[in-house]
């Protein structure tokens, strides 16, 4: 069933509402123009049509101008259907008034990012273990990207996979939603959700396909099935 996010702007002001909004997300698409078969805008369009409720624009190879132009397009495609976040680039997120940013341990401290973004925006932080997860929650992250769950070739410095059991450990230590990332594919995604991930994140498993819509739908369906059973 298609969830209606028309209330997302009024919802985001409140921590509890942001928290429950993010916990409802089953599948989370991160873009990668280097890996994409059909291009970022096509991938975003197909994923949103399939029911994906959150898109993260992750672009490492384009100029700021190109990124701003593309980010405006992605924001338009997402509309009220999906949350739109920008990876790393707070300037780009602010320029297009995105719904938020996703940052890493080496990026700007989250407290500084919060000052720039404002209280109503979503800030996600990548963490790799329980200690970083507790810190992230304390410093005001709205959700965690936890990874890399499995080995992945998509992010060169991702390190070895931490394994799905670490999702459960992190989940037991914090209350904000967990988006599990890294090496997730159709074969291994079930165990990720069974270990407590609130949402699955995939790049290559989706954007390397010639049918992004079908692959996105596959992931959404499997997460919904497992969540409804538990
Ligand atoms: N961050 P794929 S792993 C962007 O561990 C990213 O923080 C990671 O791509 C982390 O789904 C990763 O193709 C790449 O493995 C995920």
């Amino acid at each position: 069933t298609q969830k209606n996010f028309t209330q997302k702007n009024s919802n985001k002001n409140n921590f509890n509402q942001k928290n429950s909004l993010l916990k409802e997300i089953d599948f989370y698409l991160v873009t990668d123009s280097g890996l994409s078969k059909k291009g970022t805008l096509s991938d975003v369009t197909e994923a949103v049509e399939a029911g994906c409720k959150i898109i993260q624009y992750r672009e490492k190879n384009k100029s700021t101008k190109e990124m701003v132009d593309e980010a405006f397009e992605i924001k338009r495609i997402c509309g009220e259907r999906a949350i739109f976040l920008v990876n790393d680039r707070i300037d780009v997120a602010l320029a297009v008034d995105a719904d938020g940013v996703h940052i890493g341990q080496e990026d700007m401290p989250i407290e500084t990012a919060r000052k720039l973004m404002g209280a109503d925006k979503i800030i996600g932080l990548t963490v790799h273990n329980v200690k970083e997860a507790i810190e992230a929650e304390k410093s005001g992250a709205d959700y965690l990207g936890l990874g890399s769950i499995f080995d992945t070739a998509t992010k060169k410095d991702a390190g070895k996979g931490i394994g799905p059991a670490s999702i459960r450990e992190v989940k037991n230590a914090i209350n904000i939603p967990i988006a599990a990332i890294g090496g997730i594919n159709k074969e291994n995604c079930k165990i990720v959700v069974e270990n407590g991930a609130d949402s699955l994140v995939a790049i290559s498993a989706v954007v390397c396909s010639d049918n992004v819509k079908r692959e996105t739908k596959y992931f959404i369906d499997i997460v919904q099935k497992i969540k409804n059973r538990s």
Side-chain angles (χ1 to χ4, degrees), residues 5 8 48 51-55 74-75 77-85 99:
F5 274 93
K8 76 180 175 172
V48 171
C52 179
K53 302 271 184 284
I54 189 163
I55 302 287
I74 297 173
K75 180 181 167 172
I77 296 164
C78 289
E80 294 297 331
R81 297 182 291 177
I83 293 168
F84 169 45
L85 307 183
D99 295 315

Side-chain angles (χ1 to χ4, degrees), residues 4-22:
N4 189 343
F5 274 93
T6 46
Q7 281 185 307
K8 76 180 175 172
N9 288 314
S10 53
N11 276 348
K12 286 183 306 191
N13 291 321
N14 172 292
F15 169 79
N16 288 327
Q17 283 169 334
K18 269 202 278 196
N19 194 288
S20 59
L21 181 69
L22 290 161

Side-chain angles (χ1 to χ4, degrees), residues 3-225:
K3 258 233 137 43
N4 189 343
F5 274 93
T6 46
Q7 281 185 307
K8 76 180 175 172
N9 288 314
S10 53
N11 276 348
K12 286 183 306 191
N13 291 321
N14 172 292
F15 169 79
N16 288 327
Q17 283 169 334
K18 269 202 278 196
N19 194 288
S20 59
L21 181 69
L22 290 161
K23 276 190 173 154
E24 278 174 34
I25 289 166
D26 300 314
F27 177 75
Y28 178 153
L29 182 75
V30 175
T31 69
D32 188 320
S33 61
L35 287 177
S36 173
K37 258 201 166 154
K38 293 192 275 185
T40 291
L41 294 181
S42 168
D43 294 342
V44 170
T45 303
E46 286 194 45
V48 171
E49 279 174 4
C52 179
K53 302 271 184 284
I54 189 163
I55 302 287
Q56 181 193 130
Y57 178 44
R58 182 173 182 269
E59 178 53 64
K60 306 286 188 190
N61 302 312
K62 291 184 181 158
S63 69
T64 300
K65 180 181 173 355
E66 286 173 305
M67 280 191 73
V68 169
D69 288 347
E70 196 161 55
F72 270 124
E73 280 301 300
I74 297 173
K75 180 181 167 172
R76 187 185 56 74
I77 296 164
C78 289
E80 294 297 331
R81 297 182 291 177
I83 293 168
F84 169 45
L85 307 183
V86 178
N87 178 273
D88 287 0
R89 296 288 303 268
I90 292 178
D91 55 341
V92 175
L94 289 172
V96 305
D97 190 27
D99 295 315
V101 287
H102 184 92
I103 55 179
Q105 294 287 323
E106 310 298 319
D107 292 316
M108 195 180 287
I110 198 153
E111 292 86 349
T112 315
R114 177 64 70 196
K115 274 191 199 141
L116 292 170
M117 294 297 297
D120 60 331
K121 297 295 186 186
I122 292 170
I123 301 182
L125 184 68
T126 294
V127 302
H128 310 95
N129 52 52
V130 171
K131 185 169 172 282
E132 287 177 355
I134 293 170
E135 280 302 310
E137 183 174 48
K138 265 197 219 146
S139 59
D142 294 305
Y143 77 91
L144 303 178
L146 176 64
S148 186
I149 306 301
F150 305 105
D151 294 353
T152 177
T154 303
K155 187 177 181 194
K156 301 291 172 250
D157 60 352
K160 269 206 80 58
I162 58 175
S166 22
I167 303 167
R168 184 63 60 195
E169 283 174 39
V170 169
K171 188 150 190 92
N172 289 337
I174 52 128
N175 288 309
I176 52 178
I178 299 173
I181 185 165
I184 295 171
N185 57 39
K186 280 184 181 174
E187 284 70 44
N188 63 24
C189 64
K190 202 162 162 267
I191 192 164
V192 174
V193 188
E194 286 169 347
N195 275 277
D198 294 291
S199 62
L200 295 178
V201 188
I203 301 180
S204 52
V206 171
V207 306
C208 294
S209 161
D210 45 27
N211 194 332
V212 167
K213 191 169 177 178
R214 183 191 63 213
E215 299 308 297
T216 302
K217 190 95 183 53
Y218 179 92
F219 283 112
I220 292 173
D221 287 348
I222 205 154
V223 179
Q224 285 182 348
K225 262 193 208 121

